[in-house]
Amino acid sequence: MKKLVIMTVVFAAMSAAAYGQAGLAEARGDSCIDVHDTFHALRYYAEAVACDSSAALQKKIARCHYMRGDYRRCVDTMLPVAGFMGDSLSLEQMRWVFESYRRLDDHEQMVAWGRAILRRCPMDGEVTAAVAAVYNTDDAYLPSSARELTDEYLKADSTCIPVLRQNADAQFLMKDFGKAIAAYNKLLALGDSTYNTVYSLGMSYMQAKQDSLARLWLLKAAEMKGMKDAGCLYRLGMVCVEMDSVGEGIMFLEMANLLMQPDGRVVYIVKRALGEAYYKRGSYWNAIYAWTDALRHNRSSMATVFNVAQTYGLVGQHDKEKQFYRSFLSMAALAERNAELDQMVRQAEAVVGVKEDFKGCIIGLPID
């Protein structure tokens, strides 16, 4: 019996010593964290965890991983001690998990943890905006969810710029351009004169068919990018053409074209628009050159083939006119018919003079 008592005392002493060492190692780790030395903190916490695998220590280790940008380890370490959706975590610790998922681009978990944070802190504008951004950009979600979330926040705080940005984008994506315009203008009034706000306001005015205001803000956006943003220049050019400022529109479209040269799909879009601008101006040869160049990047556009044929007729090149019309008719024979297409077919057949059976074959375009 005496021997058993002695052994118990010895084991107790050894355990106390071990926990004392663990406590000392943990304290040293804490001191390292105080000076943001996560490298040595992890070493000390590893010593401590051998004797103490408590939730509190695991959370400290997870924090180290987060501070070091090791987001997967942060999540893997934190989740076993987090409870259901962070019930056992402080708000700061929940934010580590949320931000880790954000950096890992895991939108599903990011939304789940963001929503959990907002149940505790509904006035967290940063998290509200981050979750809304996922709703606005990830096809798995709907912009209506972003609008609902941000509308609720803005009832209490209508001046939070990140939340208002997502609200404006949601309105735009839902095609409620009047509300989008109001939101983007409010952002400007709050001092948010960033490129995205200026450009999005111009795009909203463009969609709302307020061309003069669209031109104003798209031009401001283009100037902010040093006239080097091809997408902005393209839309600015389209607005100018729509306003009958055709020369100006052609200038911006040509600038966009030079910037877009490596991307054939985009070059086609810009060249097609240039053709329409030149045609509207009465510069028929330039229209032909632009449209045929567009067709080099996309030979399946019936409307563009038809436009080239029609324009060759206007400049008196009737052989070319008939060649392009025949190509158009061979494409139209395979297309689903509608009233507009039927009218184009009748016009082409009137020029070609013979109604042909193309037997499912498309006549090649007479271009290089």
Side-chain angles (χ1 to χ4, degrees):
M1 181 68 180
K2 183 176 180 182
K3 185 176 180 181
L4 179 61
V5 170
I6 292 172
M7 290 296 294
T8 301
V9 170
V10 169
F11 281 124
M14 290 174 62
S15 297
Y19 277 105
Q21 290 175 350
L24 179 60
E26 183 176 355
R28 287 175 174 170
D30 293 344
S31 297
C32 291
I33 287 294
D34 289 341
V35 293
H36 290 258
D37 179 2
T38 56
F39 177 74
H40 290 99
L42 279 175
R43 285 189 175 181
Y44 288 125
Y45 289 149
E47 291 178 22
V49 83
C51 299
D52 176 15
S53 58
S54 66
L57 186 53
Q58 293 297 328
K59 291 171 185 176
K60 291 181 179 182
I61 293 171
R63 182 190 181 190
C64 277
H65 290 315
Y66 176 76
M67 293 172 68
R68 293 173 64 80
D70 196 343
Y71 303 116
R72 177 54 61 191
R73 278 200 176 90
C74 172
V75 169
D76 290 345
T77 306
M78 190 71 85
L79 290 185
V81 296
F84 177 72
M85 292 311 301
D87 287 347
S88 300
L89 302 181
S90 68
L91 179 61
E92 183 181 16
Q93 290 163 348
M94 290 179 73
R95 289 290 292 267
W96 298 338
V97 177
F98 170 77
E99 286 295 334
S100 292
Y101 280 125
R102 186 179 186 179
R103 303 296 178 87
L104 292 168
D105 207 26
D106 187 333
H107 288 175
E108 183 179 358
Q109 289 297 329
M110 183 181 159
V111 167
W113 281 84
R115 284 292 196 175
I117 291 171
L118 293 176
R119 283 193 287 273
R120 285 198 200 180
C121 303
M123 292 304 296
D124 188 329
E126 185 179 11
V127 172
T128 298
V131 173
V134 174
Y135 290 151
N136 276 333
T137 57
D138 190 325
D139 290 340
Y141 302 94
L142 294 172
S144 58
S145 297
R147 182 166 72 175
E148 180 182 353
L149 179 63
T150 54
D151 275 349
E152 191 61 31
Y153 180 95
L154 293 170
K155 288 177 184 177
D157 174 13
S158 63
T159 60
C160 181
I161 288 175
V163 175
L164 189 56
R165 282 176 184 161
Q166 296 305 323
N167 183 265
D169 289 348
Q171 306 288 4
F172 182 90
L173 291 169
M174 295 179 71
K175 303 186 186 302
D176 196 340
F177 300 117
K179 289 184 178 178
I181 288 168
Y184 289 126
N185 273 312
K186 184 166 185 177
L187 283 166
L188 288 171
L190 290 170
D192 178 30
S193 56
T194 58
Y195 171 78
N196 285 339
T197 296
V198 173
Y199 175 72
S200 296
L201 179 59
M203 284 293 295
S204 297
Y205 279 125
M206 183 178 181
Q207 294 297 324
K209 307 299 182 185
Q210 298 184 48
D211 293 334
S212 60
L213 287 170
R215 179 194 174 281
L216 171 67
W217 291 101
L218 287 173
L219 180 57
K220 285 181 182 291
E223 289 171 346
M224 291 173 74
K225 289 289 187 176
M227 309 303 274
K228 297 295 184 183
D229 187 299
C232 183
L233 288 167
Y234 164 71
R235 289 169 177 83
L236 176 58
M238 293 293 289
V239 167
C240 290
V241 171
E242 192 67 26
M243 295 173 63
D244 286 330
S245 181
V246 181
E248 186 180 34
I250 289 170
M251 177 184 70
F252 292 129
L253 288 170
E254 290 284 15
M255 291 169 67
N257 177 60
L258 290 174
L259 293 168
M260 291 175 168
Q261 283 296 342
D263 189 334
R265 183 184 60 85
V266 180
V267 170
Y268 160 73
I269 293 171
V270 176
K271 285 291 188 177
R272 186 184 62 186
L274 268 169
E276 292 167 0
Y278 281 124
Y279 184 90
K280 191 171 184 179
R281 193 183 195 183
S283 300
Y284 297 129
W285 278 111
N286 284 332
I288 289 170
Y289 295 146
W291 277 326
T292 52
D293 201 13
L295 287 170
R296 290 186 180 92
H297 297 281
N298 179 6
R299 292 173 180 258
S300 63
S301 173
M302 284 195 300
T304 306
V305 175
F306 180 89
N307 289 343
V308 173
Q310 185 180 48
T311 312
Y312 268 124
L314 292 173
V315 297
Q317 296 286 313
H318 298 300
D319 287 343
K320 285 283 192 181
E321 177 188 16
K322 290 179 180 179
Q323 286 179 306
F324 275 90
Y325 271 140
R326 289 188 73 243
S327 182
F328 163 76
L329 287 169
S330 69
M331 298 166 74
L334 300 174
E336 185 176 342
R337 304 304 285 266
N338 57 51
E340 183 179 3
L341 180 57
D342 287 343
Q343 176 62 34
M344 294 164 74
V345 167
R346 285 193 294 271
Q347 182 175 334
E349 287 177 341
V351 173
V352 173
V354 179
K355 195 166 184 177
E356 297 183 56
D357 180 5
F358 295 99
K359 302 184 185 305
C361 296
I362 294 178
I363 305 298
L365 296 172
I367 57 177
D368 298 333

